[in-house]
Amino acid sequence: LPANGGSAVASSILGSGFAASGVINADRRGANWGNGGGWADANSGVFPDWVEISFNGNKTISEVDVFTLQNNYLNPVEPTEAMTFTTYGVSAFDVQYWTGTGSNWITVPGGSITGNNKVWRRITFAPISTSRIRVLTNAAIDNGYTRITEVEAWGTSPL
């Protein structure tokens, strides 16, 4: 969250209502889609896209949750891990972390997702320490825009 010193940037933004900051606003549902409720890239049908979340220093994380747009985005509900999409969701993506050297991004173990149809995709892995993560999208169900409503990282701060 920005209140905890986090920030987000993206490869492109569809418009001011789809800013990258929408993925760190603590709203998994994507309420207010098109008005800060999540991020959409600017180039329909062109992949990859990415959204990057920077922490306020190194954090030790062992889970990243990615939430994509629900079918009924005008009336979204709190997502569950069983909730699926058929219309707007991100179907292939990599969850990556920054190594801190050069320009190296590494996909977290189990973080290369294909054939996704889940609104909420939870990726867990052995703890890693990093100052930032990103979601690199490779496909959307409709071959349209990348649409992500929230990205959450979970773990502990390094000692």
Side-chain angles (χ1 to χ4, degrees):
L1 292 172
N4 296 331
S7 62
V9 295
S11 54
S12 67
I13 298 169
L14 182 59
S16 61
F18 298 99
S21 59
V23 304
I24 58 170
N25 66 1
D27 178 19
R28 297 171 166 185
R29 297 173 304 141
N32 298 312
W33 183 252
N35 193 28
W39 166 63
D41 77 296
N43 304 302
S44 181
V46 179
F47 297 94
D49 302 308
W50 54 264
V51 63
E52 176 185 320
I53 295 94
S54 294
F55 307 133
N56 64 343
N58 277 344
K59 303 294 181 193
T60 299
I61 61 171
S62 57
E63 177 180 327
V64 173
D65 297 334
V66 178
F67 297 85
T68 192
L69 193 63
Q70 299 177 25
N71 287 348
N72 188 1
Y73 64 88
L74 294 175
N75 296 295
V77 297
E78 192 62 29
T80 66
E81 288 186 75
M83 181 183 283
T84 59
F85 63 81
T86 57
T87 310
Y88 304 111
V90 176
S91 57
F93 59 93
D94 296 314
V95 173
Q96 302 179 321
Y97 70 98
W98 180 252
T99 65
T101 59
S103 58
N104 290 333
W105 288 97
I106 296 180
T107 301
V108 302
S112 187
I113 309 299
T114 59
N116 183 56
N117 70 343
K118 302 289 186 181
V119 170
W120 175 359
R121 193 63 181 244
R122 179 188 311 253
I123 298 102
T124 58
F125 44 89
I128 56 153
S129 181
T130 187
S131 62
R132 51 188 154 156
I133 60 171
R134 78 174 178 181
V135 177
L136 180 72
T137 61
N138 300 305
I141 194 72
D142 63 349
N143 196 36
Y145 298 100
T146 293
R147 302 171 186 98
I148 296 178
T149 59
E150 193 74 9
V151 178
E152 298 174 351
W154 299 93
T156 58
S157 296
L159 299 175

